[in-house]
Every structure is written in structure tokens, then in C-alpha cells.
Amino acid sequence: MTQAYAALAADRPLAPFTLSRRALREDDVHIDILYCGVCHSDLHTARNEWRNTLYPCVPGHEIVGRVRSVGAAVQAFKAGDVVGVGCMVDSCGHCPACAEGEEQYCAETFSGTYNGPARREEGNTGGNTYGGYAQDIVVKESFVLRIGHPENQLAAVAPLLCAGITTYSPLHHWGVGPGSKVGIVGLGGLGHMGVKIARAMGATVTLFTTSPSKAADGLRLGAHEVCLSTDREQMKAHAGSLDFILNTVAAPHKLDAYLRLLKRDGTMTLVGIPAEPHPAWSIGTLITGRRQLAGSLIGGIRETQDMLDFCARHDIVSDIEMIAMRDINTAYERMLKSDVKYRFVIDMATL
């Protein structure tokens, strides 16, 4: 049996829970979890804010652990290896998206690391998948990732499995590199990773924030410049100057203010899903500059591995605050107040 923490209902705090992981199959990897990052998606799901939660729910999809054992057909991993598990644990494997290494866009819907659906029988979970707020996890080999960072960075690597790939994927897809002028909107769990990764890609990075207190941190994390987005004159100075904007803010806000900052043919990509829709934006803002408004969802397994390798080469990890498992409900309340710099990570030894 595996000890874990679970949400049993939307209006109840997470509490100790016991589950059974499936027996090891020939292509499975059994992982003892060392650290698990805390994503805002965990909170949304635990509290059923997206109206799709299967209870009991064990959140957690930013997992770093050590391989305990492997199935007979596993070739890429062995006992003792340090590995990661991100937001997905399975997909159909045969649709065009899966064939192209874009499992996050699986035509039949990928299997989330938690809150299912499980594609293969998951022991006694009734078709649900249970995530990383637990002692261990069993995952199909093709959804396990290699970790190249040193041991003393492993806790700070965990958020790369969601926050890292969510920001890396659009930056990579839209060709950010030397000579690119990039804006990052918001300095939270996602935004701080976007700043670090865009800078490492060689871009000139401007951070846009509503909080003057975050200016120094933005520069420390790698932004070349910080713009206070509530200051009309500062925003006007950046009009038509950016090739790409990564908008990480998951609260409704006026998109036109940022679309106007794009050059002709520039793109703004959204990676946050607000609980309520953004205010309507002006079609004129798009067509007068042939600008594009786009979206991006995490990243495929191949691209996630590329991201981890890139971050290891550039010594990039998340800025974290370590917590004990018993403090998860307090951490959720602090997340709602943006009271974390910039990602909580659970030390699973405290479970």
C-alpha cells in the first residue's frame, strides 16, 4: 500500500489517504517519489473548479524520484536512476499528434498523471489516476524522463516538469532565440521560468508585471528590463517592439494592451486558463499588424526531455520554497494570495 494525501471532496482539505499502485508490467517503471512540485492546477482540481474532478483525488504532476524497479521489457532505465514524471502518463499512441511526439494534443485525450482517465487498469483506482502527493508511482516507460541535474538541485527540478515545459514549449515552437525581443507577462510560477528560459535562449527579455515590488526579482531572474503594466507611459514606450509575448497570467485581463506591443507578424501565446473569460479584444489590433493570438498546452514527452536537457546545460531550475506534506493546505491558501517565490515543492520524505 502507498501512503498519500488526497482531496476527498471539493470543500474539504487534503488529508492522509492510502492507495494501491498497479502491479509492475513489463514496460513499467516503479518510482519512489523524492519531491513533488505544487501547481496551481492541483488546487483547481482538488477544489473541482474545472468541474471534472474524480474523487478521491491525489494531485501532483511535477515529480522527481528514484527508480525502485523496472519491468522486464524496460531498457532506458534501471534501479537507482533519478527520473521525472510530468503531466501525462499515457496517450493513445497512434493518432497524428502522438505519432509526432505531441501527446498533449492526443485526439483521444491523454491520461493525466492525476485525475485520469487511466487507459489501462490502474489497480483499485476505478479508472482514475493518482498523482505525486504520494510515496511512489508506477508509470509506463515511454512517459518517464531522464534528469541530468545534480542531486543537490533535484527539489528545484521538480517544477520543470510542468512550469518548465509549459513555458519552454511555446518559446521553442515560435522560434525564440538570439535577436528575438520577448515579453513575459506575469512573474509567478510560470512567468519566472519563462524569464529564465527565454534569457537562456538568447532573447532580449522584458518582464511585464503589475507589481513594482517584483521589478528587482525580474532583473535577478534574467529580464533585461521590467515594465510596470499599469503605467500607461511605460507600456506606450514598448508599442510595436516585441516579436513574441508569453502571457502566463491565469486571471482575466485586457489582452489588447499587450497585443499592441507586438511587431507586425508578432505572436502572443496564452498558457494560463482563467476561471472567467478574458474581456473581448479588438480584432482591429490583430489585423492592422497581422498579429496572432495563440495558445499552448504543456509539451510532448520528447520536447519535455529536450527542455530538461536544455535546463541542465544552462543550470536552470525553479526558485522554490520547500514544504512538508502536512502543510499542503496552508500552501494552497498562500498560492491564492501569490505568497510564494515562486513554486512550492513537497519533500516527500515528510509523508
Side-chain angles (χ1 to χ4, degrees):
M1 301 300 287
T2 294
Q3 301 303 310
Y5 257 58
L8 303 180
D11 59 352
R12 295 173 61 182
L14 274 68
F17 179 70
T18 302
L19 60 93
S20 294
R21 296 296 190 188
R22 67 171 181 254
L24 202 66
R25 298 184 175 118
E26 65 174 11
D27 60 346
D28 276 342
V29 179
H30 192 173
I31 302 162
D32 289 321
I33 299 174
L34 301 174
Y35 304 102
C36 185
V38 180
C39 178
H40 211 109
S41 298
D42 300 350
L43 187 155
H44 286 309
T45 306
R47 298 183 178 181
N48 199 24
E49 293 176 359
W50 290 332
R51 305 288 193 272
N52 66 349
T53 305
L54 303 170
Y55 294 103
C57 173
V58 176
H61 59 202
E62 298 179 341
I63 299 167
V64 170
R66 198 177 304 278
V67 175
R68 181 191 299 183
S69 58
V70 299
V74 172
Q75 297 183 353
F77 305 101
K78 64 183 185 305
D81 286 349
V82 176
V83 297
V85 178
C87 302
M88 303 179 287
V89 291
D90 211 345
S91 67
C92 79
H94 55 74
C95 73
C98 289
E100 295 167 11
E102 300 276 11
E103 298 92 347
Q104 75 275 31
Y105 302 119
C106 176
E108 298 182 15
T109 304
F110 67 81
S111 294
T113 303
Y114 65 86
N115 204 46
R119 290 190 172 273
R120 303 187 297 175
E121 178 54 41
E122 292 283 331
N124 68 353
T125 67
N128 196 5
T129 52
Y130 290 156
Y133 294 9
Q135 292 174 314
D136 63 359
I137 192 168
V138 176
V139 180
K140 190 177 179 180
E141 177 187 18
S142 55
F143 285 80
V144 179
L145 297 142
R146 300 183 306 277
I147 302 295
H149 290 74
E151 292 267 344
N152 64 355
Q153 293 185 330
L154 295 183
V157 167
L160 300 184
L161 278 305
C162 177
I165 185 57
T166 297
T167 51
Y168 178 91
S169 183
L171 291 167
H172 177 254
H173 178 79
W174 273 277
V176 167
S180 299
K181 293 186 176 180
V182 172
I184 306 293
V185 181
L187 191 67
L190 293 177
H192 94 287
M193 292 307 311
V195 169
K196 290 185 179 189
I197 291 171
R199 177 65 182 257
M201 287 177 167
T204 299
V205 181
T206 301
L207 169 68
F208 294 88
T209 178
T210 60
S211 304
S213 62
K214 290 186 175 180
D217 249 11
L219 297 172
R220 175 183 65 83
L221 292 164
H224 294 85
E225 185 178 0
V226 177
C227 174
L228 188 62
S229 57
T230 54
D231 186 315
R232 182 175 298 181
E233 291 305 312
Q234 287 189 37
M235 291 290 281
K236 187 177 179 180
H238 290 280
S241 67
L242 300 174
D243 299 294
F244 182 78
I245 297 174
L246 179 64
N247 190 327
T248 72
V249 176
H253 60 283
K254 294 180 179 180
L255 301 180
D256 271 329
Y258 297 102
L259 289 169
R260 295 188 192 102
L261 307 182
L262 292 169
K263 295 178 180 178
R264 173 171 48 85
D265 294 323
T267 299
M268 179 164 73
T269 298
L270 309 179
V271 293
I273 304 176
E276 300 295 333
H278 293 296
W281 56 90
S282 169
I283 299 301
T285 307
L286 296 179
I287 65 174
T288 55
R290 201 161 59 194
R291 301 177 176 101
Q292 301 171 76
L293 179 62
S296 180
L297 176 67
I298 51 174
I301 296 300
R302 181 172 58 215
E303 190 174 45
T304 303
Q305 187 63 66
D306 289 344
M307 176 275 303
L308 287 168
D309 295 343
F310 176 89
C311 289
R313 289 195 305 272
H314 292 274
D315 195 28
I316 295 173
V317 293
S318 180
D319 283 29
I320 67 167
E321 179 179 334
M322 193 93 78
I323 62 169
M325 186 73 257
R326 64 180 175 274
D327 296 324
I328 187 61
N329 294 299
T330 300
Y332 276 11
E333 294 305 315
R334 287 181 56 194
M335 271 202 305
L336 289 173
K337 301 173 184 176
S338 298
D339 180 24
V340 56
K341 290 187 175 180
Y342 282 94
R343 206 70 158 185
F344 288 117
V345 172
I346 306 165
D347 180 356
M348 298 313 302
T350 63
L351 181 59

